[in-house]
Amino acid sequence: MGIWILIPVFLPVIAGVLLLLPVKQEDVGDSSKESLTRLHTVTAAVLIVSAVLALLAAWSGDNTYTWFELMEGIPIYFQVDDVSRLFVTVFSIAWVLVCFYAFTYMEHEGKERRFFGFYLIVYGVLVALCFSGNLVTMYLFYELMTLTSMPMVLHSGTRESIMAALKYLFYSMCGAYLGLFAIFFLYKYCDSITFTAGGTLNLALAQGHTGILLAAVMAALIGFGAKAGMFPLHAWLPTAHPVAPAPASAVLSGIIAKAGVLSIVRVVFYIVGADFIRSTWVQTAWMTLSLLTVFMGSMLAFREKVVKKRLAYSTVSQVSYILFGLSVLSPTGMEGALLHVVFHAFIKCALFLTAGIFIYRAGLSEVDQLEGIGKKMPKTLWCFTFASLALVGIPPASGFISKWYLAQGALEANVGVFGWAGPAVLLLSALLTAGYLLSIVTNGFFPKVKSNAHVAIAAENAASPETDAVQTQAETDPLSGVTEAPLGMLIPLAIFAALSILLGVFPNPLIQFVSKIATAVM
C-alpha cells in the first residue's frame, strides 16, 4: 500500500487544523443550528473516512512505508503488524462512537469547533502511533499525542481545567523523557530499532552492560507507564478527568491510556525481548508496581464520591491489570492483557459516557446525587449496569474472560510469590470494583426510603408561604424534571454496553488473534 498508509494519518490532522483556523465572524455562528450541523457533518465525514482507510491499511496486509530519514540510519518508518491491527481497530471504533455522542454533549460545553478540531488531530496522531514501525517514530507520535490531546483537558478554560492540563502535560513529558533515556541506550545495543517480534537486542554486544540496559528498560516502563496510569506517575488521571468534557474523559481513559500500554508492548516484546528481563529485578519491580497500582486505584475509587473521579481511579487500577498481565512474561498473561485492552476500552467509554449523561441531563456529578436516577433514566442506567458487570468480571461479560486469562497467566509463569499474589490482588480489586460501581446501580434503581424526619421537614418547607415552590421541589426532589438521554447520546452508549457483554459471549475470534500475537513474541 506504500504511501497510502499515511492518508488516514494526514486526512484528520489537516481537517482538524482547518477547523482551528480563524474564520470570518459572520461564518462562525456557534449558536447557529445550521453552522453546527455543517460542523458535525464535516467532522463525521472526515472521521468515518479516516477510520475506514485506517482499517483498510491495517487489514490489507503487512504494509510498510518509509516517510523520510530523520537522520542517517533513523527513518520515520511505518509498519503494519498484528499489534497495529488490534490497537488501531479498537481506537477507531471507540473514537467514531464517542464522536457521535459528543455532537450532542458538546452543546452543553460550547466551543465545539475547537473541540472537534483537536479531536480529529488526535485521531490522526493515534493512527500514526499504531502504525509506527520503529522506536523513534513511536516516540515522535507519542509526544505529539500528548501535545494535541492536552487542549481537550483544558477545554472549559477554567483555572481548575488549566491546572489539570498542565499536570497532564508535566507527568506525560516526564514519562516521555524517561522513555527517551531508554531509547538512547537501546539504539546503541540493538541490531535495529525496527519493531521485530521477539526483540532486536544484541546479547553479545550487551554483555557487560546488562546493568545499565536493565535500568534503561525500567525507565521506559515507568515513563510510558505514566500514560497508562501506573504508580508513581498516575496522579494526572484523577485530576484531568473530572474537569475535561465527558467525551474527552472517555477517550483519555479508554483509548489514550492504552497508548502507554502499546508503547510498553513495543519496547519489551519488540525491541528488548522478554527473555532479557525475565527473572531480573526489572520484572520483579514491574510486577510490584502494577499490583500496587491495581490495589491502590481500586481503594481510592471505592472511597471517591465524585463520579468521574471515581471512574478515573478505576482506570488507574484497571489499566494496571493489563500491565501486570504483560509483566509476568507468559503467553497466557499477555493474551489476558491484550484482551483487557479491548474490553476495558469499550467498558470505560460506556461508563464515562454515562457519567456525561448524568451531567448533561441532570447536572449531577456526585455519587450521592444519583439515588433514584434509574426511575428517571432507566435506559442509561441499564447501560451503566451492563458495563459495570463487565468491568467487575461477572460471567459471561467480557471482563471475566480477560481476568481469567490474567490469573491463569500469573499461575503458569514461574514468578514465585507473584504467582498467587497476583490473582489474589486481582480478586480483591474485583470485589472493590463491585462495591464502587454496583452501589451506584442499586441506589439508582432502588433508592433508600426517606426517614420520617426528612419527610416532616420537606412537608414543613412545602407548607411555608415564605419558601419558593420551585426551590422547595428542587430540594426535596433533585431529579424533578429529569428525563432520559437523547438518542444521539444513548445509541453510542448502548453500542459500547452491548460490546461489553457480547465480546464476552463470543470471545473466540479475538482470543485466537491475541494468542497469535503472544506466541510470536514469547
Side-chain angles (χ1 to χ4, degrees):
M1 181 170 283
I3 194 172
W4 299 104
I5 201 173
L6 294 182
I7 294 179
V9 174
F10 283 106
L11 177 59
V13 170
I14 293 171
V17 169
L18 291 176
L19 287 180
L20 295 176
L21 293 177
V23 294
K24 295 179 181 179
Q25 188 62 37
E26 59 267 24
D27 294 333
V28 175
D30 285 337
S31 59
S32 166
K33 185 176 180 181
E34 292 77 10
S35 64
L36 281 179
T37 301
R38 187 163 57 249
L39 172 64
H40 295 168
T41 302
V42 170
T43 302
V46 170
L47 188 56
I48 290 173
V49 170
S50 301
V52 170
L53 291 175
L55 294 177
L56 286 175
W59 293 96
S60 61
D62 293 338
N63 300 299
T64 62
Y65 181 70
T66 301
W67 186 15
F68 64 92
E69 281 209 354
L70 189 64
M71 58 186 71
E72 187 177 354
I74 303 180
I76 301 302
Y77 173 70
F78 297 95
Q79 173 181 281
V80 176
D81 60 7
D82 284 337
V83 172
S84 303
R85 294 183 183 98
L86 179 70
F87 278 84
V88 81
T89 301
V90 174
F91 288 7
S92 298
I93 292 171
W95 214 262
V96 170
L97 289 175
V98 172
C99 181
F100 280 95
Y101 171 98
F103 288 153
T104 302
Y105 183 89
M106 292 309 296
E107 295 175 7
H108 167 80
E109 294 282 343
K111 305 172 186 174
E112 291 100 326
R113 188 181 181 91
R114 186 180 73 188
F115 177 85
F116 289 113
F118 282 109
Y119 193 84
L120 288 174
I121 291 171
V122 176
Y123 177 71
V125 173
L126 284 171
V127 172
L129 181 67
C130 292
F131 288 164
S132 295
N134 63 30
L135 270 179
V136 173
T137 307
M138 182 192 79
Y139 182 81
L140 171 65
F141 287 102
Y142 184 90
E143 289 278 47
L144 283 175
M145 177 190 63
T146 298
L147 296 174
T148 55
S149 60
M150 186 185 75
M152 294 198 297
V153 177
L154 55 76
H155 181 80
S156 65
T158 63
R159 183 181 183 279
E160 186 181 15
S161 66
I162 292 172
M163 295 306 295
L166 290 175
K167 188 172 185 178
Y168 168 59
L169 179 64
F170 177 76
Y171 274 72
S172 297
M173 296 297 280
C174 285
Y177 290 150
L178 287 173
L180 183 61
F181 169 81
I183 290 173
F184 288 148
F185 286 95
L186 294 175
Y187 177 75
K188 180 176 176 61
Y189 294 106
C190 288
D191 293 328
S192 169
I193 58 170
T194 299
F195 297 137
T196 305
T200 63
L201 185 65
N202 188 320
L203 296 178
L205 192 62
Q207 191 172 4
H209 304 281
T210 302
I212 189 64
L213 278 170
L214 287 175
V217 174
M218 193 69 228
L221 292 174
I222 294 175
F224 293 125
K227 194 72 74 181
M230 186 175 74
F231 179 85
L233 298 179
H234 66 285
W236 68 269
L237 275 155
T239 303
H241 284 314
V243 299
S249 296
V251 295
L252 279 169
S253 181
I255 303 303
I256 291 179
K258 305 305 186 306
V261 174
L262 172 60
S263 301
I264 288 174
V265 168
R266 290 303 198 185
V267 169
V268 173
F269 299 100
Y270 287 81
I271 294 293
V272 177
D275 290 337
F276 182 72
I277 65 172
R278 185 176 282 114
S279 302
T280 65
W281 67 268
V282 171
Q283 184 184 19
T284 302
W286 187 12
M287 290 187 291
T288 301
L289 288 176
S290 60
L291 287 180
L292 175 62
T293 310
V294 168
F295 178 72
M296 178 191 67
S298 296
M299 284 295 295
L300 292 172
F302 188 80
R303 298 175 57 187
E304 182 56 52
K305 297 299 182 183
V306 177
V307 177
K308 287 177 71 177
K309 202 168 183 179
R310 176 177 287 192
L311 296 178
Y313 280 125
S314 172
T315 296
V316 170
S317 174
Q318 293 290 326
V319 177
S320 279
Y321 276 58
I322 299 168
L323 298 181
F324 176 72
L326 297 174
S327 70
V328 299
L329 304 177
S330 73
T332 306
M334 187 173 187
E335 289 171 26
L338 295 178
L339 288 171
H340 208 60
V341 165
V342 179
F343 301 155
H344 179 264
F346 297 146
I347 293 168
K348 195 49 64 79
C349 282
L351 295 177
F352 269 109
L353 296 190
T354 304
I357 290 174
F358 294 152
I359 295 171
Y360 176 86
R361 213 57 166 165
L364 305 177
S365 59
E366 297 190 8
V367 173
D368 294 340
Q369 298 172 329
L370 299 178
E371 192 168 330
I373 193 73
K375 296 182 180 296
K376 301 289 186 176
M377 309 173 75
K379 296 174 184 176
T380 299
L381 194 58
W382 271 115
C383 290
F384 184 89
T385 302
F386 290 136
S388 298
L389 293 173
L391 196 64
V392 173
I394 296 177
S398 58
F400 172 76
I401 305 297
S402 56
K403 292 179 182 182
W404 178 272
Y405 274 81
L406 290 170
Q408 291 298 313
L411 291 169
E412 77 177 23
N414 185 23
V415 290
V417 68
F418 292 97
W420 61 264
V425 172
L426 297 186
L427 178 59
L428 178 58
S429 175
L431 294 174
L432 291 169
T433 304
Y436 65 71
L437 289 180
L438 298 184
S439 60
I440 296 176
V441 173
T442 54
N443 289 333
F445 281 123
F446 308 104
K448 298 173 185 176
V449 178
K450 294 182 179 180
S451 66
N452 291 333
H454 283 92
V455 173
I457 292 172
E460 182 180 346
N461 288 336
S464 172
E466 299 174 357
T467 305
D468 182 81
V470 176
Q471 181 180 350
T472 302
Q473 185 179 12
E475 291 175 352
T476 57
D477 184 11
L479 299 179
S480 176
V482 175
T483 56
E484 188 58 88
L487 281 179
M489 303 172 82
L490 197 57
I491 291 175
L493 172 61
I495 294 173
F496 278 126
L499 287 172
S500 302
I501 300 298
L502 292 176
L503 287 174
V505 177
F506 306 105
N508 287 338
L510 184 58
I511 291 173
Q512 292 170 6
F513 186 77
V514 299
S515 177
K516 184 170 69 168
I517 296 174
T519 301
V521 299
M522 291 294 180

